Amino acid sequence: MIEAVKLWNEPNNMSHWDFGLDADWAIFSRMVRLAGAAVRAENPRLPRVLGGMAPIDASFLRRMEAQGALDEVDVVAVHGFPLDWNHWQLDEWPERLAEIRAVSRHPVWVTEVGVSTFGAEEVQEFGLRRTAELLLGQVDRVHWYSLFDLPRAWPAATRHREAEGSSYYRHFYMGLLREDGTPKRAMRHFADYTPRLGICQWFHFEDHRLDDAVAWLRKMGVRKLRTGLSWADSHRPGAEAWFDRQMRALDGFDVTLTYCFTPGSRGLKDHHTSPPQQVEEFADFCARMTRRYAQ
């Protein structure tokens, strides 16, 4: 079942929202207000989550409040990767949550947290256990990112490959399973924390890993799953059939469903991170997907 919908992903990260085209997030704020209202009209009981902040930034949340973006959401979300990308220590998680709670009138969820095996599998193993100690029981939802490593033939969702150096390649080692489907060291501990600890796993269009993912999630005792439906993908031939297949396969999990990514033809710029030309079109997509999958 769909237990929540999430409006966009990492809007304060240039790799997911082009704030060069929307410098003060005014377009984004209006889009969230309209999309949140559209979801509420379809299903008033369904929690609406603001796309997770990355980096965690209280000033960004204050801007969202001032621009009315929080008027049509019920939860705010944060993403944190202190052992890979953030400039703070793993044990600072309580402080990061406190910063957001100090400026938020909504509950806070951690909808992406993870550790790569770029340097060593033992680092992820330690990071999983320590993250669970720090976060479980402190927020209502924690989603570990991710189940699968990103296949090396696929690009990571980032604009900064040339500048990132080794940081770029960490994107490919975030899974509990290697690309060939074999488990890493941390996998043996994951079931110690389910069902309280969830998973965030993105599925690409017609993703060949879907059925294997479902089998692994059941084996691990995962109940809470975060994934997404791409507005950009909805413009592909066969999109409706793929969305139906994905959502049927995930029946039985409590799904937080993220709506994001602009079709190139509908953006101010031909890129999935672009603000849309008409924010009403994103709101309509959110309403249609909620009507189809969250009743």
Side-chain angles (χ1 to χ4, degrees):
M1 80 180 232
I2 308 305
E3 71 161 3
V5 297
K6 195 172 185 186
L7 303 175
W8 216 260
N9 184 63
E10 300 187 358
N12 62 332
N13 184 325
M14 183 65 88
S15 292
H16 296 273
W17 181 263
D18 189 345
F19 46 80
L21 298 174
D22 183 28
D24 60 358
W25 287 273
I27 299 172
F28 178 78
S29 296
R30 181 166 179 263
M31 185 180 77
V32 167
R33 292 197 307 272
L34 291 178
V39 170
R40 175 169 51 82
E42 293 294 333
N43 190 328
R45 299 178 304 279
L46 193 64
R48 300 156 300 166
V49 186
L50 182 69
M53 287 171 280
I56 298 171
D57 183 358
S59 64
F60 174 75
L61 194 60
R62 283 193 293 265
R63 183 186 291 271
M64 293 296 97
E65 178 73 80
Q67 295 180 167
L70 302 189
D71 293 345
E72 288 290 350
V73 299
D74 308 293
V75 178
V76 298
V78 298
H79 296 172
F81 300 89
L83 292 180
D84 285 286
W85 295 305
N86 298 139
H87 297 164
W88 45 274
Q89 299 291 306
L90 178 61
D91 284 351
E92 292 178 40
W93 260 115
E95 296 170 37
R96 302 286 81 81
L97 294 177
E99 289 175 8
I100 298 305
R101 285 175 171 144
V103 298
S104 174
R105 55 190 164 97
H106 296 314
V108 181
W109 290 3
V110 179
T111 50
E112 284 188 31
V113 59
V115 179
S116 80
T117 56
F118 180 78
E121 290 194 12
E122 290 84 354
V123 177
Q124 185 185 65
E125 186 177 27
F126 160 77
L128 169 65
R129 299 171 75 174
R130 184 62 181 140
T131 298
E133 292 171 0
L134 290 165
L135 293 180
L136 293 180
Q138 303 305 309
V139 291
D140 290 337
R141 295 289 181 277
V142 181
H143 290 273
W144 183 263
Y145 178 81
S146 63
L147 178 61
F148 289 115
D149 276 352
L150 185 67
R152 296 180 191 182
W154 295 359
T158 175
R159 294 170 177 267
H160 312 299
R161 176 174 181 172
E162 293 79 9
E164 285 186 355
S166 66
S167 293
Y168 174 80
Y169 295 96
R170 291 174 183 268
H171 289 280
F172 294 85
Y173 295 92
M174 301 303 296
L176 297 165
L177 298 169
R178 304 179 188 92
E179 183 177 353
D180 65 5
T182 57
K184 301 179 186 178
R185 290 175 60 98
M187 176 62 86
R188 60 185 175 178
H189 304 293
F190 201 86
D192 296 342
Y193 305 110
T194 56
R196 293 184 300 159
L197 182 58
I199 282 278
C200 174
Q201 177 61 55
W202 295 97
F203 294 105
H204 289 227
F205 187 73
E206 297 182 341
D207 199 318
H208 66 281
R209 306 169 301 174
L210 177 62
D211 293 335
D212 286 344
V214 169
W216 270 105
L217 293 170
R218 289 175 176 160
K219 181 178 179 180
M220 296 157 64
V222 170
R223 180 73 183 174
K224 307 293 184 184
L225 173 66
R226 178 180 168 236
T227 192
L229 292 179
S230 166
W231 180 28
D233 282 348
S234 74
H235 284 226
R236 293 174 181 257
E240 188 173 284
W242 165 247
F243 286 173
D244 284 351
R245 181 174 182 272
Q246 175 181 322
M247 298 313 295
R248 279 196 305 269
L250 301 180
D251 187 35
F253 298 100
D254 294 335
V255 176
T256 293
L257 189 60
T258 305
Y259 302 140
C260 60
F261 296 149
T262 305
S265 64
R266 306 310 306 144
L268 297 178
K269 184 178 180 180
D270 185 4
H271 198 274
H272 66 273
T273 66
S274 173
Q277 299 169 29
Q278 301 291 331
V279 294
E280 293 84 358
E281 294 180 3
F282 178 68
D284 178 67
F285 171 74
C286 295
R288 287 187 288 110
M289 295 301 98
T290 301
R291 186 181 315 129
R292 191 174 187 90
Y293 300 116
Q295 302 300 324

